[in-house]
Structure formats: C-alpha cells, structure tokens
Amino acid sequence: MILVVNAGSSSIKVALFRADLTEVMAGQVSGIGGPLAHIDLGTDDKDIAAPDHGAALNAILQSFAAQGITTDQLTAVAHRVVHGGTSLVQPCRITDDVIAGIEAATPLAPLHNPNNLAGIRAIAALAPDMAQFASFGTAFHATNPDVATAYAIPDSDRAMGIRRYGFHGLSYAWIVTQFEDKLPDRLLAFHLGSGASLCAIHKGQSVATSMGYSPLDGLTMGTRSGAIDGMAVLRMADIHGAAEASRRLNKDSGLKGLGGANDMRLLLAADTPKAKFAVDHFCYWAARHAGSAIVAMGGVDAVAFTGGIGQNSAPIRDQIMSHLKFLGDVPVHVVKAVEERQIALDAVTLGAV
Ligand code: ADP
C-alpha cells in the first residue's frame, strides 16, 4: 500500500491506497504544535499529544497499526510538495538531491515547503528504509513556454527566480488522467475551490496558467485578490507595511473582501447586492482570464471544471460559460478533484509497488 502525505503547518492529511489506487483509509491529525491536537483516521477520533510533525506521523502510524495496518504493509510514502522550483519538474523518488532541491525552492514557498520537508524527514526518522516519493504542485506547468512564464523585468531580478510558476498542478494532471484516450486537443480547465485558477492544456500539457509567482495572481478567489497591479500592491505596502499588505491581499480579499464571506455557498444563498457583486466579479474574471488562456492554445475544444465550486455549483459554471458563449457550443465536463490519488498514481508510475 502507498501512504499519501500532505503536510501543512498545523495539520497532516493522509490517504492510504492499494496499488490499484483504491482508497483504504483517509484522515488527518490537526492542531499540531498546539494544546488541542486531534487525530481523525478510520475509527480513531481522539485528542492526542502532537508537538511536532514527527509526533503526528508517529500517531498516524500507530493508529494504522491499531486498525490492523502495520508499517511493513506500506511499500512507499508519497508526499505532496507545494513548490518544486525550476529544478523539480517531474514526480520523483526522494533522494538527498531532491531534498536539497525542495530546500532550494523554500524561498518561493516559505509557508509550505518547510512543512512538506518536515513530513519527509519525520518518515525518514520513523521508517528509515521506506521508499519516499514526491509530487510537486508546480511541476505540471513546467511545459509552459518561456514567453508565458517570464515577467518583463530586469535580468538580475529574473535571475532571482522571479517568474511565473503556477499551482494546482496535481489537480490539472488528474483531469488529464481522467480523460484517458478522449483528451481533447485544447482543454480549458478551471480549478475553482477556495483557491482558484485555470489552465490551458494543449495535447495534455500545460501551456498557460493564471497563477504566477505565487498563488495570488489570476482569478478572484475565496480570500485572495487575484490579479492586481504591482503598483497597487506597493501602495498597500506603503500604507500597511509589507507583511500586513500581504495578509490583506491573501486573507482578506477576494470573495471575502467584496462579499463579506469567502464561502461561495453563503454568497449564493445571501441574495444581497454585495454578495451578488462578489459572485459576478468571480465569474467575470474567471471568464476574462479564460480568454487569455484560450489565446495561448489558439482556441478551445472543451472545458473542464473541478474544485469545491467547480464540481458542485452549476449556477457558477453556467454564469462563467455565459460570458464565453461567443465560443459557440463547447462541451463542458465536471471532474472530481482528488489530488491524493494523482500523488499515489505518480508513485505507482515510478515503480513504488
Ligand atoms: P479547498 O481549495 O480549500 O480544497 P474546496 O475545493 O473544498 O476548497 O472548495 C471550497 C469552496 O467550494 C467554498 O467556497 C465552498 O463554498 C464551495 N462549495 C462547496 N460546495 C458548493 C456548492 N454546492 N455550491 C457552491 N459552492 C460550493
């Protein structure tokens, strides 16, 4: 069996798969590092002591053992790693070089990569012989041409890694997997969850995506602004200081900033002008960015929606597609987002079992 690990700052989500990708069990430890750590996995649902990621993963392995799944039955552990930088552009087996690459990409994802590394190191300490694999949230977009990824800024700044990377790559890879041999040539894919992005997928490869250096760019999101002029960002940094400006743009903006709530269900139910404006902004900008992605592919043959909003909200899909009706009849698909399964699939493809 393959254990998929998604290590966040205070939580570790896990999913256990058989080699045929059927899910055996999934769950998480939350509250890591705090007084209220809790495990919810299979039949386990209890408070635990989890001062760090190592203790949390130990609790997860013990919980599996108590439910009849021993560490011996795990053939591999596969990690979700948010940022692979410019060097880690394929799923891979974790070696010292890969760990060094994840460390090198940490300045690009300072809030995420250290947690992913903590998960990798904790498994290495708990089960030193375990094969470990990594799938990177940025890697699917490594096929974007330079003209799409480069910001038109001075050489010396570009040399610092300031360019577009794109995110949600595991979700887009999963969409491609789901089409099997029916993949349309030019697919416009929307991942609409609390984070939202879109991707132009040409013959199965990403050629353009709406997120950039960070996940802030592109579509209006739950709490992120989406695209905003850099000078407006600098003005906000002048007013609030850089850290507070960053917090406002990432945590207090988007649907929350416009509509007062980051939950699309609440906004759709609210029926107030403010909530309606937030929803309209979300759909309008999703379609505006779609126009750019369609240009990058020279047209579009099909559209796919995924993520909590994309999967569940027909009214939002319809409103976005109504902005795109000039395209004529384009088939619209809905795909369930299961990034964990893509990570397990990557590990299986790399020979984990
Ligand atoms: P995350 O990016 O955190 O994984 P999800 O993909 O679960 O988030 O998406 C969360 C968003 O999906 C929330 O805005 C939530 O309101 C929205 N959502 C979930 N179900 C529905 C629904 N039936 N209609 C509209 N929005 C929904």
Side-chain angles (χ1 to χ4, degrees):
M1 288 185 274
I2 296 170
L3 179 64
V4 173
V5 174
N6 182 359
S9 59
S10 66
S11 74
I12 295 181
K13 297 194 178 105
V14 292
L16 187 62
F17 292 91
R18 292 201 181 84
D20 65 1
L21 299 186
T22 52
E23 189 179 287
V24 180
M25 204 183 280
Q28 64 172 325
V29 171
S30 55
I32 298 168
L36 295 171
H38 191 90
I39 188 164
D40 183 359
L41 178 66
T43 54
D44 250 349
D45 185 4
K46 63 184 184 203
D47 293 336
I48 54 166
D52 54 33
H53 286 67
L57 277 164
N58 196 26
I60 285 167
L61 295 182
Q62 283 183 10
S63 172
F64 279 137
Q67 298 181 62
I69 299 159
T70 63
T71 308
D72 290 348
Q73 289 173 277
L74 300 182
T75 347
V77 176
H79 297 264
R80 178 205 177 109
V81 177
V82 167
H83 213 306
T86 45
S87 65
L88 298 166
V89 296
Q90 296 282 344
C92 60
R93 183 156 181 172
I94 296 175
T95 61
D96 289 346
D97 282 351
V98 170
I99 289 177
I102 299 170
E103 274 171 348
T106 291
L108 303 170
L111 301 179
H112 293 100
N113 274 22
N115 303 317
N116 304 147
L117 278 169
I120 292 166
R121 291 195 167 114
I123 293 289
L126 290 165
D129 297 329
M130 184 73 70
Q132 297 202 72
F133 295 84
S135 295
F136 303 94
T138 48
F140 186 70
H141 305 297
T143 46
N144 286 9
D146 292 346
V147 71
T149 59
Y151 293 122
I153 56 176
D155 274 348
S156 54
D157 291 314
R158 282 186 283 134
M160 302 298 287
I162 301 182
R163 44 159 281 187
R164 302 175 71 93
Y165 292 94
F167 299 86
H168 286 149
L170 297 163
S171 179
Y172 294 123
W174 180 249
I175 289 175
V176 170
T177 303
Q178 290 314 287
F179 275 94
E180 298 180 339
D181 58 353
K182 301 211 170 43
L183 184 70
D185 253 14
R186 296 167 303 180
L187 177 66
L188 172 66
F190 290 93
H191 179 112
L192 308 178
S194 53
S197 72
L198 58 74
C199 183
I201 303 175
H202 190 209
K203 297 188 194 299
Q205 295 196 325
S206 172
V207 294
T209 190
S210 59
M211 286 176 169
Y213 175 76
S214 85
L216 186 76
D217 202 2
L219 280 61
T220 307
M221 307 184 209
T223 63
R224 295 190 196 114
S225 63
I228 176 169
D229 185 340
M231 291 310 292
V233 173
L234 291 178
R235 175 85 176 114
M236 286 176 74
D238 277 346
I239 297 168
H240 302 292
E244 172 63 7
S246 171
R247 196 194 63 73
R248 284 173 171 252
L249 288 163
N250 283 288
K251 308 262 189 221
D252 278 351
S253 297
L255 297 174
K256 185 179 176 193
L258 294 175
N262 64 358
D263 190 315
M264 186 58 90
R265 278 167 299 198
L266 291 179
L267 294 172
L268 288 169
D271 201 24
T272 61
K274 194 174 157 112
K276 182 176 180 306
F277 182 74
V279 171
D280 288 350
H281 196 278
F282 181 90
C283 295
Y284 170 90
W285 282 102
R288 281 278 301 265
H289 291 294
S292 166
I294 291 167
V295 168
M297 296 186 285
V300 60
D301 302 308
V303 175
F305 286 94
T306 193
I309 299 171
Q311 283 163 224
N312 298 311
S313 183
I316 296 291
R317 290 196 299 268
D318 291 348
Q319 194 172 333
I320 292 171
M321 291 311 294
S322 74
H323 287 291
L324 298 172
K325 62 176 178 286
F326 68 91
L327 294 169
D329 275 337
V330 182
V332 174
H333 304 265
V334 176
V335 178
K336 189 165 179 256
V338 260
E339 289 158 275
E340 296 77 17
R341 206 172 288 253
Q342 180 64 41
I343 297 166
L345 173 62
D346 287 341
V348 170
T349 306
L350 287 163
V353 284

